[in-house]
Amino acid sequence: MAKLTLNINGTAQELDVEAGEPLLYVLRNGLGLKGPKFGCGLSECGACTVLADGKPLRACIVPAASLAGRTITTLEGLGTLENPHPLQQAFIDEQAAQCAYCIPGMIMSAKALLDRNPEPSDEDIAWALAGNLCGCGTHLRIVRAIKRAASTMRETPIDSREGSA
Amino acid sequence: MILNCHLVYRALRLCCCVACRLVGIAALLLITKAPAYAVESAPADQVARGEYLTRAANCISCHTRDNGEPFAGGVAFETSFGTLYSTNITPDDEHGIGAWRDEDFLRAMHEGIGREGEHLYPIFPYTDYTQMSRDDVLAIHAYLKTREPIDYQPPANEMTFPFNHRRLLWFWKMINFDEGRFETAPQWDETVARGAYLSEALGHCGQCHTPRTWSQGLDNDHKFAGATQRGWKAFNITSGPDGIGNWSDDELTQYLTTGHVPNKYASAGPMAEVVTDSLRHLRDEDIAAMVAYLRQIPPQPSDVPTIAEVRDMQSQRRQDMTSRAETMKQGEQLFMANCASCHYPDGSGPGGAYSNFEAHSVVRDPQGTNLIRVMLEGIDRQGRDMHVFMPAYRDLLSDEQIAALANYIGYHFGGHEADFSAEDVAAQRN
Amino acid sequence: MTAPVSRRDVLAGALKGTGALLVGFAMSHPLTALAARITDDVENDIAGINKRVVDGDRVDAWLVITRDGRMILYSGKVELGTGVATALRQIVAEELAIAPTALEFIQGDTELTPDQKYTAGSKTLQVGGKQLRRAAATARHVLLGRASEHLGVPVEGLTVFDGAVVVTMSPSQRLSYAELIGTGFDTAVNDQADTVAPENFRVVGRSAPRIDIPAKVSGDFTYVHDIKRPGMWHGRVVRPPTIGATRMTATPEHIDRRHLAAEVEVVVEGAFIGVVAPTEWGAMQAAQSLKVSWRYAPTLPRMEALFDTLEAMPGDEEVGIDVGDVDTRLAAAEAPLTATYRWPYQIHDSIGPSCAVAEVNEGRMTAWSATQGVYPLRASLADLLELPQDEIHVIYAEGAGCYGHNGADDVTADAALLARAVNRPVRVQWSRADEHGWGPKGPAMVMKMAGALDASNAIAAWTFENWSPTHTTRPNADDGAANVLAGQLAHGLTPGSGTVGGNRNARTLYTFPHQRVTTHWLSSESSPLRPSALRTLGAMQNTFANECFLDELAYAGGLDPVDVRLRYLNDPRAKAVIEAVAKRSGWQPREQPNGQYEASRASHGRGIAFAQYENECAYVAAIAEVAVSGQGVRVEKVTVAHDCGQIVNPDGLRNQIEGNVLQATSRVLKEEVGFNTTGVTSLEWGAYPLLTFAEIPKVDIVLLDRPSEPMLGAGEATSAVIPAAIANAVFDACGLRLRRAPLTAAELRRVAQQS
Ligand code: FES
Ligand code: FES
């Protein structure tokens, strides 16, 4: 066990971390975050995706200790139930979920995409989400939700909205 | 043909047969001396030695198909002349080698002639195994006979005309095959000789690492200079800077036994198989002997730039990449989503098995053969220290996506500006 | 008067007990939703859950209204990601004239909800919805009756509206349900109670947003994976080196604990070996560090011999239909056709591997599980733990989509064994390899077809023969511990054999005058990999064979595939979906394939398939459009016409159909479990790939709503027809018949080479 300070969703958190322990278990068990999910532990499915300095990262495989000093954002860091991020709202509006287990990872990958490319085509989305699997077959709605979010975010840039992370 | 190692061997073989036999025996003794094989009864001793030699000769890799039983054969080898399937070498009477007598087995290993008197395709490396001592061959046979018989019939070979005529192999053999046991060279000490025996007679390293002649024989003028086999590139492992010249002995040892050197080199494909199935099981002194042998292989140039060259290229890179901005953008996206969590956004990797990209010949090789190949096939390697896994992206990413990744990785970490297309990937995929 | 239950509270599933007196039960504990229960103090919670009446014949079992106006719906059918938690609320809300969001939803709990067996087979609305509708309608009649008494107005003069009974002609005169509830609905469900007439529907038949989605996309929702109990440790199971099919042949010979951290506990029962550690990462490390040497023998057939092995097994023959004179007709036919279709083992595509939490308090076991049947699982656990059933409390908590019997029950048994052994709450999270390697598999099947046309191109004979184990080895009381992996490992039990699912849709709706349909039932013990329910059970495999073979006959006789189907159907609803899908997709009649196989150039084609799921549920027809080249099959578009009777939530239904199309496309194009003689070798997504974003087809859906027809399940019906539609489209595109799933590029090239 070693102490480690990580910046998670805007707050510096001091955490106990076991040697080699991947970030995912620190987030889920240490901080009680439910957004990042365990799916494969092999970097194949994307369920555990979080952002590290704005870039998508598979938390299931990266040792937490190697992330000291980086800014980590999880699903919880985007928006809340009362004040969802446009991406979260778009997933609700498009009813883009079946079991929804894959959705947090999808949203995080989409966030990284929209940050780089505010107007993605279907194809851009397919590329950005190439590392995210969905077993329920919700893909069509996920693509629609991301496009919807892109257009709301273009209309109402995120900085001008209140209280968003 | 100024300095043909092969010819040298041949010349030497004529005059040193006594000495070489001694070395052969010495190697054998060293092998049998191992405490792990200090088995009481003589026959069991032979079996245990056979097991070790079977490991060293890596019979299992080629004779075990995915999901198949060990040694039951059926692995497909795509050659330019058609598809060959490895045979069942379990002691099954009908499909395997259950009915083979020692003499049959010896003839196959030493002469490349099957039980029916047919010439064997040299994909079975009898061109190397011929150098094995008689006792070693018999030990391998003894070991194989203790395995469980598997009643599996590998598919028939699908060779195109005229290569389906085994008789033509006689011609091939005339050019490319010298039957005869291992002989040492005067300049070799005992360790090097033993390394040579392990690397040549057993390990048959040259089958992958030595380029081929027009007739698909080994071009021993360029021994170990690197070649492409089964869709994978086997890199230059000669003693010069383009080969293993810059590797320390420790690094080489670590690579051979674990399949990787943290933050430097990592094996995949057939080499990972060799580590998993063969090298990690060998004893330290045998690995050291192989390293010693590699150290004295004459240097050969390579078409893969060195790390220093790559850094140099990167620092003075000028070419305008705007025409490929789109692919690069997609490549980066894919890299972030699929690769960066293990290899890190800057390719440096968290260490361990996830090595620094720049150090990989795979990444620096402008032909990108192994880069694309490793994305398609992934890595599933067991070294002495740990199991290393990279998913096969064959069915997780499309051809376009793999090409974009290869371009991105090649450009950012390998220093080259190769422009792979979906078709290139498709060609490797099939 | 009405306690404010905000939408947010419902969404978050975070209803805290308010101390409100629940009326209708002899109990006074605060009724809590799952999330609340698990955060409450254990003692209170366990003590507070007095036994409810969960007898499904009583209205109280289904519906509770409190005096402070909370309305709680109890469902033994559970939300598996298909949206039923919303649709079931819609059905009840319709009868009670309230908003669906006003209903709290308690699902799957052996102490709170009625026993509705499994949530499976697309029966939640068809069966469970019907039960709830009757209970809610009975409740409405009770409330109306009470109001009539209180207000002195005959029932005919009263209406229900927004949680109250209102005097129709004088709306200010009203009594809320809370005021009327008294001591609850102490009455039997009246099967004859009038339900709201379809023409008066205000909630049912309209798209309602799913109530669970907001919390699921914000990270507030608690899946079974997220459950934490005070003092909880983490467990992992160390699996033997061989899966031994359904017979466990491995025995641990030596267990070396030397590399374990000091606090790790090791639990050994037979071949069941588990480690338990204070942290999850610690448990993962421990599972790796524990070295076990096993004695075992490989028992599986070689993978390439699978189908021959299946066909060669002795099986009990069951004749589904045998009419006319098949053999004579076949013998007399000039050019009879025969074909063999093959379907591989497939896994459940759950993105989150199975997980469960279990704990023992004073000898009573409580387990949180994503099981599809809390009651049947309780029975299996009782046998495994040798406890009476009422000493076990199974609570459903949502997992990732399961699509059938995945590892959810098994992991619960793992957790229960470990929790009991270490006497503390234990959470077990299966690894990806556990789920791929050890979860039950959708069975591999062989389907043999023969048929012939007569001189007038009528179908003169049709035979279908298949080989299948049962598609259900779910937990149940009869098989007990044998139907959970822990029971198989710990006690060497063999899962029970039945005859479920293998014959599903073996018989078609087609009126061929001479036809025979036979199923050879293989024992589940002899099935190479452990078989159980995977979406559609055998209907996908059988429909793949039936609908492709009908296509083969059609092309052989130069008949249009759409026409030939219509010709042999009597049921107007069956015809209607076929006509609708043909029209919507712009089907052009054809007598021969549209294109030819060329490795280097894509050729295009379309194919149709139809089935009535289970021959009595939803009618579905699909047309697939594909592009075929040496690179493989690409599905470009799928059009579906779907009739599941009365539609409850159209958007929810579309969501399901889209999901079915994509998942079935993935299954038919890509999915196959690899194995060798010791066990499963495809242990992660690289070796068992799923459809990716780059490969998804467009989906176009025509819903045929029939509000006055009964609701028919829609959770999986569409899956059954997709593989055949795609394979038929491949034939149309390139003239090659791919009869062996998955239709990979390698399979395509193999067939191309042979033809
Ligand atoms: S859980 Fe991290 S990628 Fe699957
Ligand atoms: S919605 Fe269930 S896995 Fe994607």
Side-chain angles (χ1 to χ4, degrees):
Chain A
M1 284 279 182
K3 292 264 179 244
L4 172 75
T5 305
L6 286 178
N7 182 323
I8 292 160
N9 296 332
T11 318
Q13 305 267 10
E14 199 184 330
L15 297 158
D16 286 326
V17 174
E18 292 175 71
E21 183 176 8
L23 177 66
L24 180 67
Y25 307 103
V26 177
L27 296 175
R28 289 183 50 82
N29 301 329
L31 293 172
L33 294 173
K34 297 186 277 189
K37 301 269 189 282
F38 172 76
C40 64
L42 297 166
S43 200
E44 291 180 344
C45 74
C48 63
T49 307
V50 299
L51 302 181
D53 295 340
K55 302 237 164 79
L57 184 85
R58 305 286 185 246
C60 66
I61 209 151
V62 182
S66 71
L67 292 162
R70 297 196 194 243
T71 302
I72 309 292
T73 312
T74 73
L75 184 71
E76 289 88 343
L78 293 191
T80 60
L81 206 49
E82 296 82 13
N83 187 15
H85 184 275
L87 263 164
Q88 290 164 318
Q89 186 59 50
F91 274 72
I92 299 170
D93 293 342
E94 290 291 345
Q95 292 285 292
Q98 290 184 63
C99 75
Y101 197 88
C102 68
I103 299 297
M106 299 284 178
I107 294 181
M108 300 317 286
S109 295
K111 171 76 168 68
L113 167 69
L114 296 187
D115 287 348
R116 319 165 25 103
N117 176 359
E119 208 170 340
S121 64
D122 285 12
E123 208 191 327
D124 293 336
I125 294 171
W127 285 75
L129 269 54
N132 290 77
L133 299 176
C134 172
C136 295
T138 314
H139 307 68
L140 294 157
R141 286 171 182 244
I142 292 169
V143 173
R144 292 207 289 271
I146 296 171
K147 293 179 87 169
R148 178 193 277 256
S151 86
T152 28
M153 284 164 76
R154 286 197 305 275
E155 283 156 23
T156 322
I158 194 113
D159 327 329
S160 64
R161 290 164 2 102
E162 241 177 279
S164 296
Chain B
M1 291 202 195
I2 311 153
L3 208 163
N4 182 330
C5 303
H6 206 69
L7 285 180
V8 173
Y9 288 156
R10 255 205 270 182
L12 289 171
R13 188 183 295 156
L14 290 171
C15 51
C16 303
C17 53
V18 179
C20 84
R21 191 161 297 168
L22 287 177
V23 171
I25 291 165
L28 237 167
L29 287 177
L30 285 167
I31 286 164
T32 49
K33 217 161 56 184
Y37 296 103
V39 191
E40 244 73 297
S41 67
D45 193 15
Q46 189 197 30
V47 168
R49 197 173 80 243
E51 180 174 8
Y52 187 79
L53 292 165
T54 305
R55 284 288 182 197
N58 196 15
C59 309
I60 197 167
S61 277
C62 293
H63 287 279
T64 308
R65 68 208 183 286
D66 285 352
N67 301 340
E69 297 86 346
F71 302 112
V75 179
F77 293 86
E78 311 286 344
T79 73
S80 15
F81 317 110
T83 307
L84 290 161
Y85 294 89
S86 59
T87 51
N88 182 340
I89 55 167
T90 69
D92 185 71
D93 281 346
E94 196 178 335
H95 307 300
I97 56 168
W100 288 46
R101 295 160 306 145
D102 279 351
E103 295 318 312
D104 300 328
F105 194 76
L106 271 166
R107 191 157 63 142
M109 294 282 278
H110 280 163
E111 297 171 38
I113 293 175
R115 193 155 165 263
E116 318 287 332
E118 77 282 19
H119 288 296
L120 298 176
Y121 288 104
I123 188 113
F124 164 53
Y126 55 82
T127 47
D128 293 317
Y129 291 160
T130 189
Q131 300 186 54
M132 255 188 247
S133 73
R134 179 185 167 92
D135 283 354
D136 284 358
V137 172
L138 293 180
I140 290 178
H141 192 213
Y143 165 67
L144 289 175
K145 281 203 286 201
T146 64
R147 304 277 318 175
E148 197 191 328
I150 306 290
D151 64 339
Y152 165 71
Q153 177 65 60
N157 294 332
E158 295 146 18
M159 294 300 270
T160 51
F161 180 83
F163 306 101
N164 50 351
H165 288 285
R166 283 182 185 263
R167 259 184 242 163
L168 285 178
L169 286 166
W170 176 83
F171 174 68
W172 183 92
K173 277 174 147 177
M174 215 173 69
I175 310 174
N176 295 300
F177 176 51
D178 295 300
E179 202 257 314
R181 304 302 85 75
F182 175 82
E183 294 161 25
T184 187
Q187 71 274 27
W188 294 348
D189 62 15
E190 199 177 288
T191 311
V192 173
R194 182 167 164 215
Y197 183 74
L198 283 157
S199 311
E200 301 284 351
L202 293 162
H204 58 283
C205 309
Q207 295 293 332
C208 290
H209 285 279
T210 300
R212 305 237 160 211
T213 62
W214 62 271
S215 66
Q216 294 299 305
L218 293 184
D219 172 9
N220 278 315
D221 285 352
H222 298 98
K223 191 179 200 44
F224 293 175
T228 301
Q229 287 296 331
R230 289 168 69 192
W232 290 86
K233 192 163 193 168
F235 290 102
N236 185 332
I237 52 168
T238 63
S239 58
D242 277 334
I244 52 155
N246 298 325
W247 298 40
S248 70
D249 281 3
D250 279 352
E251 284 175 342
L252 273 169
T253 306
Q254 194 176 3
Y255 182 83
L256 292 175
T257 55
T258 67
H260 61 96
V261 177
N263 267 333
K264 282 200 160 164
Y265 320 106
S267 62
M271 190 61 199
E273 271 176 26
V274 172
V275 171
T276 304
D277 293 337
S278 173
L279 295 172
R280 76 180 161 114
H281 301 281
L282 300 194
R283 291 196 321 277
D284 289 346
E285 56 269 36
D286 284 341
I287 296 287
M290 293 172 83
V291 169
Y293 173 63
L294 289 180
R295 288 276 181 232
Q296 55 74 59
I297 301 290
Q300 296 284 346
S302 148
D303 51 3
V304 179
T306 61
I307 296 176
E309 283 163 356
V310 163
R311 293 209 178 118
D312 200 39
M313 275 188 281
Q314 272 169 331
S315 67
Q316 43 173 297
R317 172 182 275 159
R318 251 174 256 124
Q319 191 180 323
D320 177 18
M321 294 295 283
T322 37
S323 61
R324 290 171 56 203
E326 187 60 21
T327 350
M328 285 295 154
K329 204 176 80 190
Q330 291 171 331
E332 181 178 4
Q333 205 140 264
L334 288 167
F335 187 83
M336 290 306 159
N338 294 280
C339 317
S341 54
C342 295
H343 297 289
Y344 281 25
D346 58 0
S348 63
Y354 309 110
S355 305
N356 188 353
F357 267 16
E358 191 188 59
H360 287 290
S361 343
V362 179
V363 173
R364 299 194 312 272
D365 179 4
Q367 290 170 0
T369 312
N370 287 9
L371 182 56
I372 292 173
R373 182 60 61 183
V374 76
M375 285 193 264
L376 288 172
E377 316 292 353
I379 299 177
D380 194 351
R381 179 183 78 221
Q382 181 65 54
R384 265 193 201 168
D385 59 343
M386 65 193 289
H387 183 243
V388 168
F389 178 79
M390 165 175 156
Y393 287 92
R394 172 175 282 278
D395 296 302
L396 296 172
L397 296 175
S398 67
D399 291 345
E400 292 81 10
Q401 289 173 324
I402 290 178
L405 267 176
N407 287 330
Y408 176 82
I409 293 169
Y411 182 76
H412 282 273
F413 309 111
H416 58 80
E417 289 165 8
D419 191 0
F420 305 111
S421 65
E423 287 69 44
D424 297 333
V425 178
Q428 283 226 40
R429 189 187 279 273
N430 301 333
Chain C
M1 186 177 1
T2 305
V5 177
S6 78
R7 182 154 178 270
R8 196 228 148 170
D9 285 347
V10 178
L11 296 186
L15 285 161
K16 287 278 177 191
T18 56
L21 183 69
L22 270 187
V23 184
F25 313 107
M27 65 183 219
S28 58
H29 81 281
L31 184 78
T32 53
L34 169 78
R37 182 182 304 137
I38 59 167
T39 50
D40 274 353
D41 169 44
V42 194
E43 295 307 316
N44 281 340
D45 183 46
I46 300 291
I49 298 174
N50 294 322
K51 302 279 183 290
R52 283 190 62 201
V53 182
V54 288
D55 170 3
D57 293 337
R58 313 291 302 173
V59 176
D60 292 333
W62 304 96
L63 189 64
V64 164
I65 296 178
T66 65
R67 286 199 191 126
D68 59 359
R70 292 169 61 197
M71 290 180 269
I72 303 146
L73 149 60
Y74 292 85
S75 173
K77 300 278 187 188
V78 299
E79 178 62 81
L80 299 170
T82 58
V84 300
T86 304
L88 291 174
R89 278 182 174 99
Q90 281 180 275
I91 290 169
V92 171
E94 183 71 76
E95 295 300 324
L96 294 177
I98 54 175
T101 47
L103 281 162
E104 294 168 37
F105 186 73
I106 304 283
Q107 55 181 342
D109 185 319
T110 53
E111 299 194 348
L112 297 177
T113 62
D115 183 1
Q116 291 180 281
K117 307 287 183 289
Y118 305 108
T119 304
S122 295
K123 296 295 181 296
T124 298
L125 296 193
Q126 190 168 326
V127 177
K130 197 152 94 185
Q131 287 169 302
L132 266 173
R133 176 174 275 163
R134 285 186 187 136
T138 310
R140 176 163 43 90
H141 288 286
V142 170
L143 293 166
L144 280 166
R146 288 184 192 161
S148 160
E149 248 171 62
H150 277 81
L151 298 166
V153 178
V155 168
E156 294 68 45
L158 300 172
T159 335
V160 288
F161 180 71
D162 195 19
V165 181
V166 180
V167 178
T168 317
M169 303 313 287
S170 156
S172 59
Q173 265 189 290
R174 64 197 294 279
L175 284 170
S176 74
Y177 298 163
E179 287 166 306
L180 291 168
I181 194 62
T183 53
F185 300 111
D186 187 15
T187 178
V189 174
N190 174 5
D191 282 351
Q192 306 308 317
D194 283 343
T195 53
V196 175
E199 57 273 23
N200 297 330
F201 280 168
R202 285 152 21 119
V203 182
V204 168
R206 308 231 168 131
S207 289
R210 267 176 51 181
I211 290 173
D212 52 336
I213 289 182
K216 286 178 176 167
V217 304
S218 71
D220 286 88
F221 189 83
T222 299
Y223 288 88
V224 67
H225 308 76
D226 303 317
I227 288 173
K228 290 201 171 65
R229 301 290 303 161
M232 181 178 87
W233 281 26
H234 294 264
R236 289 291 186 280
V237 179
V238 178
R239 308 280 170 197
T242 176
I243 194 158
T246 45
R247 270 157 301 145
M248 206 46 61
T249 54
T251 345
E253 275 194 325
H254 178 71
I255 299 178
D256 174 0
R257 310 170 191 223
R258 274 176 304 170
H259 305 286
L260 296 188
E263 68 276 15
V264 173
E265 300 212 39
V266 179
V267 178
V268 182
E269 276 196 52
F272 177 91
I273 301 182
V275 288
V276 187
T279 66
E280 186 167 13
W281 180 242
M284 293 167 75
Q285 299 294 99
Q288 283 213 327
S289 320
L290 188 75
K291 298 281 174 259
V292 186
S293 40
W294 297 87
R295 185 155 35 84
Y296 68 98
T299 54
L300 302 187
R302 284 194 308 275
M303 190 169 162
E304 59 268 51
L306 170 66
F307 295 110
D308 294 343
T309 310
L310 291 179
E311 253 183 80
M313 274 183 200
D316 291 343
E317 218 173 272
E318 175 194 290
V319 178
I321 183 173
D322 191 355
V323 292
D325 189 3
V326 180
D327 296 319
T328 325
R329 300 276 162 163
L330 268 182
E334 225 164 78
L337 288 186
T338 58
T340 304
Y341 291 83
R342 298 179 169 96
W343 196 272
Y345 282 105
Q346 296 184 325
I347 62 161
H348 303 76
D349 299 334
S350 308
I351 294 299
S354 299
C355 183
V357 176
E359 69 183 29
V360 185
N361 284 295
E362 289 162 16
R364 297 198 79 229
M365 168 69 65
T366 306
W368 287 265
S369 169
T371 177
Q372 290 177 281
V374 284
Y375 284 94
L377 174 59
R378 183 177 70 167
S380 279
L381 292 180
D383 188 33
L384 178 72
L385 304 169
E386 293 173 342
L387 280 177
Q389 291 208 24
D390 52 12
E391 291 297 306
I392 300 175
H393 183 187
V394 182
I395 303 169
Y396 176 72
E398 288 183 39
C402 64
Y403 328 108
H405 181 200
N406 69 349
D409 295 298
D410 295 328
V411 75
T412 314
D414 292 347
L417 271 190
L418 294 177
R420 184 175 66 176
V422 304
N423 197 26
R424 57 167 84 238
V426 173
R427 171 182 182 272
V428 179
Q429 164 75 73
W430 269 16
S431 69
R432 182 39 60 200
D434 281 337
E435 191 75 44
H436 269 63
W438 290 85
K441 304 285 178 290
M445 283 169 62
V446 180
M447 286 73 56
K448 279 201 152 148
M449 311 293 303
L453 299 166
D454 66 16
S456 62
N457 269 346
I459 292 174
W462 173 277
T463 70
F464 169 102
E465 206 177 350
N466 73 353
W467 284 261
S468 173
T470 182
H471 286 243
T472 291
T473 60
R474 293 177 183 280
N476 64 66
D478 292 343
D479 295 305
N483 281 11
V484 287
L485 195 49
Q488 294 162 24
L489 287 166
H491 305 306
L493 302 170
T494 302
S497 274
T499 51
V500 176
N503 55 358
R504 188 169 288 182
N505 284 84
R507 194 163 58 75
T508 65
L509 241 52
Y510 301 116
T511 56
F512 308 133
H514 305 276
Q515 57 168 315
R516 184 170 58 231
V517 172
T518 316
T519 294
H520 303 268
W521 289 104
L522 312 175
S523 76
S524 66
E525 186 177 6
S526 63
S527 166
L529 299 178
R530 176 179 165 218
S532 201
L534 172 59
R535 215 171 207 180
T536 80
L537 279 58
M540 180 179 275
Q541 291 87 327
N542 294 335
T543 304
F544 174 59
N546 278 326
E547 287 292 297
C548 286
F549 192 65
L550 179 55
D551 231 52
E552 294 200 37
L553 285 171
Y555 280 99
L559 307 169
D560 174 51
V562 168
D563 274 354
V564 84
R565 284 170 171 81
L566 292 173
R567 188 187 316 173
Y568 291 98
L569 287 169
N570 284 335
D571 187 332
R573 287 171 73 177
K575 291 182 162 179
V577 287
I578 293 176
E579 282 158 356
V581 79
K583 179 154 174 259
R584 177 68 154 251
S585 73
W587 176 267
Q588 302 291 323
R590 57 203 61 206
E591 291 163 6
Q592 57 190 35
N594 187 41
Q596 262 194 344
Y597 177 74
E598 274 181 66
S600 57
R601 207 181 55 85
S603 54
H604 296 261
R606 290 173 171 218
I608 184 168
F610 158 81
Q612 183 186 19
Y613 187 52
E614 296 194 64
N615 294 350
E616 57 180 32
C617 303
Y619 300 83
V620 192
I623 288 178
E625 298 170 34
V626 303
V628 181
S629 73
Q631 297 306 304
V633 176
R634 200 192 141 77
V635 181
E636 298 181 311
K637 184 175 173 189
V638 177
T639 310
V640 176
H642 194 277
D643 169 3
C644 57
Q646 182 188 103
I647 297 174
V648 178
N649 184 349
D651 184 64
L653 175 58
R654 283 174 187 278
N655 199 351
Q656 278 311 289
I657 296 173
E658 286 170 23
N660 270 265
V661 171
L662 266 56
Q663 190 188 56
T665 303
S666 181
R667 286 177 66 182
V668 69
L669 290 189
K670 303 183 77 165
E671 299 182 29
E672 169 165 29
V673 173
F675 59 90
N676 62 18
T677 49
T678 56
V680 173
T681 52
S682 44
L683 296 172
E684 39 77 42
W685 295 121
Y688 188 94
L690 299 182
L691 200 71
T692 65
F693 278 91
E695 300 163 308
I696 51 176
K698 293 198 182 72
V699 178
D700 189 16
I701 299 167
V702 193
L703 298 182
L704 282 75
D705 191 12
R706 299 186 187 274
S708 32
E709 294 288 342
M711 300 175 276
L712 298 172
E716 58 193 22
T718 309
S719 284
V721 296
I722 300 301
I726 290 174
N728 289 340
V730 170
F731 178 77
D732 186 48
C734 68
L736 298 176
R737 274 291 163 198
L738 303 193
R739 302 188 185 93
R740 201 283 199 202
L743 317 182
T744 59
E747 176 65 9
L748 175 72
R749 289 195 297 265
R750 190 186 67 79
V751 173
Q753 222 162 41
Q754 282 178 356
S755 64

